[in-house]
Amino acid sequence: MKDPMKMLKQVQQMQDRMSKVQAELESETVEATAGGGAVRVVATGNQKIVSVTIDPAAASDTEMLQDLVVVAVNDAMEKSKQLAASKMQAVASGLGLPPGLM
């Protein structure tokens, strides 16, 4: 059995690293576009939309604009999740945890 104090220390280190990563993710952003740049969405690394920019020329076709917004938001969320996953994986690998555990 491993030393319980050593395990406790490792858990505390992981919590500290996770807190730092979560703070970093709040300030990091990803960007996604749709319709050749007609719609641009910016999201944080913790999956919060911070801005949506729409080219006024795209506003003439409401249905197309709605579709473009959905595509851009979904793409931004996917990029945000990938950013978060890679940061969390870096924390896990630094602690010697098996891949996929986090």
Side-chain angles (χ1 to χ4, degrees):
M1 178 181 239
K2 287 189 174 184
D3 178 15
M5 293 305 289
K6 183 177 179 181
M7 288 177 59
L8 180 60
K9 186 175 180 177
Q10 286 178 325
V11 169
Q12 288 171 332
Q13 286 174 344
M14 183 176 76
Q15 287 175 331
D16 289 344
R17 289 182 185 146
M18 294 288 284
S19 293
K20 288 177 185 173
V21 166
Q22 288 173 340
E24 289 174 12
L25 288 171
E26 286 179 23
S27 63
E28 290 192 41
T29 59
V30 295
E31 180 179 314
T33 61
V39 176
R40 184 173 74 90
V41 174
V42 177
T44 65
N46 59 354
Q47 291 84 52
K48 291 193 179 20
I49 302 294
V50 292
S51 71
V52 176
T53 306
I54 299 172
D55 182 341
S60 63
D61 185 346
T62 305
E63 285 185 36
M64 181 186 72
L65 180 57
Q66 291 169 341
D67 291 343
L68 293 176
V69 169
V70 169
V71 168
V73 167
N74 285 337
D75 191 24
M77 289 296 95
E78 184 59 33
K79 288 179 179 181
S80 177
K81 289 175 187 177
Q82 289 173 358
L83 174 65
S86 71
K87 294 248 181 206
M88 294 300 179
Q89 185 60 41
V91 170
S93 66
L95 295 172
L97 296 175
L101 187 60
M102 295 199 54

